[in-house]
Amino acid sequence: MEKYSLNELRKMFLEFYESKGHLKLESFSLVPHNDKSLLLINSGMAPLKPYFIGEEVPPKKRVTTCQKCIRTPDIDNVGKTARHGTFFEMLGNFSFGDYFKKEAIAFAWEFLTEKIGLDKDKLYVSVYENDDEAAEIWKNDIGLTDDRITRLGKEDNFWEIGLGPCGPCSEIYVDRGEEYGCDSPTCGVGCDCDRYMEVWNLVFTQFDKDKEGNYNKLEHPNIDTGMGLERLAAYVQEVDNIFEVDTIRYILDYICEISGKKYGVNENDDVSIRVITDHIRSSVFMASDGILTSNEGRGYVLKRILRRAMRHGKLLGIEGHFMEGVAKKVIEISGEAYPALREKETTILKLINIEEEKFNETVNQGLSMIDELIANLKGDTLGGLDAFKLYDTYGFPLELTEEILEEKGLKVDKNGFEKAMQEQKDKARNARNNKEIVSYKGDLTNFIANLPSTEFSGYESLSDKGKVIEIIKDNEAIDILNEGESGLVIFNRTPFYATSGGQVHDIGKIEDDKVNAKVKSVTKSGDKFVHEVEIISGSLEADKEYSMTVDKQNRLNTERNHSATHLLHKALKEVLGEHVNQAGSYVDSERLRFDFSHFEKVTNEELDEIERRVNAEILNKDEVNYFETSIDEARKLGATALFGEKYGSKVRVVKMGDYSIELCGGCHVNNTNDISMFKILSESSVASGVRRIEAITGKCAIEESLEKYHELQTIKDKLRLNNNNIIEKVDELLNKNKSLLKELEAFRKEANKDVVSGIIDNAFDVNGTKCVFAKVDGLNVNDLRELSDKVKDKVENVIVFLVSVAGEKGFMIASASKEAVKDGFNCGKFIKDVAVSIGSGGGGRPDMAQAGIKDISKADMALENAKGFIKERL
């Protein structure tokens, strides 16, 4: 058997299935398209779900893919073993109602034994215990003996997820040899040891499970197969695990080089090396698909694995920024198979650099936190909750915290740490709500799966006739929708655009001599357009044809805003750089919102230039042309494709003069001059590395400009200014205001001197400690803190408690001198008790704490309660 490289195996697989009449599709984005049931694509079949359930017609009945995938449920085990990983590539061949078991089994056997050259005598299979058909094919057609065919139960060899398509599986295993076995006399396929390794799972989707739990035979059964590319490569290359496969080992060896560590010598080092190797692969591929770090969803997954890799870099002793170099190795080794890695290299590396910079800042904050915790430690053990906070907030692995404490003769409550860690995992699991599982059927699937596709005619015309092919009301299919009722209606043909690609749906009406109805919204379910319809008068019936008219002004305004996003996208790239890519958009008839990748605030000067360029293209009167072509040809023309979008073999290209060319299925003006005017309203941050521009066009932009002009005129009239000195006058007023505020502050500080003397005069003594307790109204928290500091400057061994009501807000603060804290007084606990006694809350450090007062009528009570509590504490 030849030791093919991973890249060679991928190419061989796809070419083999192309030779068997399969259409090769490029790997889909890791971001699921129109599928809220899934956080990240985690299997080869996940992006093809609409084809399996009949929501969309596949481009061909035979398809093959190599799909990039990410699975995160076992993220905490990655590195601890050589088996676990978050990123992998899944090879697959699929049949949508074409061939079935006989061909699927024959193809798989031919590829493994003839194309790759695996030893037939080392191949074993499992089948579902009741699947006699598959067992007979393996035995009679392939020639396997009974001892190499194992029947397993439903848990192992029957694939189903909730309701919908499901069926038995047949898995192919390779015998790696006795040295990988467990020496059990019953060792064989299905054993938990490493001897028999599953390489390929063939799923025979022949049933449709209904709500009653019945397994109904599908009229056109499907084939769905999945084979882990890394696992196949590990066997072909005769290495023990995926981390030793050539492309992955290439990254691993670089990590060893920069860390000065040797793989296979120290288990702790090996764990860190494997974590970085796996996580950088996931991070690079996620970033190439437009995912950016954030505190929720898939952005949080990216942030978490990046920071986990960075933490392990510190454990290996790697100094400074190192992630960019490792990321470059991933792009270098996988860039040919996945061109987006090279195309987006600048963006990928920028994102990783920024996240590493933030991580290093957080670690430095964590070091300060450790010093503070040690200073306040009673005993020799740091609490598990504190250790977990260091891990969760500041990125400190437990090992690093232990190392720092050990140097000072201290230790950590590891059991408490593990308990806090488990609680977080439980919360995350509940919050994820099974987002790692592909949910097969949506609410509408049962109604529309077998309906014909809706033909969209809205590019050419705003009116058309369509035949009703389904009416749904209250989750039931009905034949008629009567006056006053609302329901979901699917037509065979429609001029109404359905919400997609950031563009909001059309609105309009349906009518004939027997019905008058409103179209309130339109959504897509697969390739069907679902209209939300309200009957104003008459009734709408199934199987009848009706006239449909789109609201012209609403559509035109939406087209203006949508076309402006294309011009804006291009202008952003020109002004800010080619790293800018669309990260999301929202377009309706009133305004546009455009999110884009950029790592710093866009300056006012840059915004002005962007706005000028867009308006210049509007005035240029560029003709807007549309045409369909192949995805490859569109890329050759320089068309911009959008992250997360699902493109078929044919794509629609929108070209605006020689300025902008993008893949887009939305609606646009015929000439850029139709946009009339473009005006930016705001620029802001959405998430780390993502900025947002909100803007308006057409009449809205003109009205906005007029409104701002009138506001300016009003300001001038009030200040009695002319056109030449507006800025000068505003600067003069601001400087005068600043000067007056300084005078006021000086006056306030002078007044506070008298306040300090007054409250000290009313101090009382408790067991040798001075207690300065007072109510001083009109001060905020900062004022109270400053006042307490002045008291401590004048009085030794003192506890200060101050209460203030300023307007409708109440505040209190507790502060203690070093002597009082050393004697055991804790301001945080003290003020918490006082706050709770009046129905509020607060806390802080042993030497300083503060709280708000929810009910300001209880401010005096807070002071009296504090005087009572202090006598109990000292």
Side-chain angles (χ1 to χ4, degrees), residues 759-798:
I759 62 176
I760 290 176
D761 289 343
N762 292 316
F764 57 93
D765 189 273
V766 178
N767 296 328
T769 301
K770 282 282 184 185
C771 297
V772 178
F773 283 37
K775 183 166 179 277
V776 189
D777 286 335
L779 303 183
N780 60 32
V781 169
N782 292 331
D783 295 333
L784 290 178
R785 190 180 292 116
E786 185 179 327
L787 197 58
S788 72
D789 287 342
K790 287 179 178 177
V791 172
K792 287 192 291 184
D793 287 341
K794 290 181 175 290
V795 183
E796 293 182 357
N797 194 17
V798 65

Side-chain angles (χ1 to χ4, degrees), residues 261 269 272 310-317 397 399-400 403:
K261 304 290 184 181
D269 289 344
S272 295
M310 292 166 193
R311 285 202 302 268
H312 280 275
K314 289 197 173 292
L315 289 177
L316 289 174
E399 300 89 339
L400 192 57
E403 187 180 309

Side-chain angles (χ1 to χ4, degrees), residues 657-753:
D658 294 324
Y659 190 68
S660 167
I661 178 167
E662 290 193 12
L663 305 187
C664 182
C667 303
H668 292 274
V669 296
N670 293 318
N671 188 291
T672 58
N673 198 240
D674 295 337
I675 299 170
S676 179
M677 182 181 180
F678 173 78
K679 182 67 185 169
I680 293 174
L681 296 178
S682 65
E683 189 274 345
S684 60
S685 172
V686 179
S688 178
V690 183
R691 309 296 300 182
R692 171 174 291 171
I693 282 178
E694 295 193 59
I696 48 181
T697 62
K699 186 179 178 182
C700 290
I702 294 168
E703 292 295 332
E704 172 72 11
S705 297
L706 284 171
E707 185 180 327
K708 295 301 179 191
Y709 174 77
H710 290 310
E711 284 179 4
L712 185 61
Q713 290 298 117
T714 303
I715 291 169
K716 283 167 53 183
D717 292 343
K718 285 181 179 291
L719 297 177
R720 297 180 181 176
L721 302 175
N722 59 47
N723 287 330
N724 299 323
N725 66 345
I726 300 174
I727 304 293
E728 289 176 15
K729 187 65 177 177
V730 170
D731 286 341
E732 182 186 320
L733 288 171
L734 288 173
N735 289 332
K736 189 173 182 180
N737 185 59
K738 190 184 292 184
S739 177
L740 289 170
L741 286 172
K742 280 184 180 179
E743 290 179 23
L744 182 63
E745 180 65 15
F747 176 78
R748 191 179 60 78
K749 286 183 177 179
E750 193 63 34
N752 278 347
K753 290 178 182 178

Side-chain angles (χ1 to χ4, degrees), residues 234-263:
Y235 182 75
V236 170
Q237 294 173 22
E238 297 179 356
V239 295
D240 286 343
N241 57 70
I242 62 170
F243 288 94
E244 296 181 25
V245 168
D246 63 324
T247 54
I248 305 175
R249 184 74 197 221
Y250 181 73
I251 302 161
L252 184 148
D253 286 342
Y254 176 75
I255 296 164
C256 291
E257 179 187 328
I258 61 174
S259 65
K261 304 290 184 181
K262 192 172 181 180
Y263 188 63

Side-chain angles (χ1 to χ4, degrees), residues 849-863:
Q850 66 187 52
I853 301 175
K854 289 181 180 178
D855 182 354
I856 58 175
S857 69
K858 295 181 178 179
D860 292 319
M861 184 192 298
L863 183 61

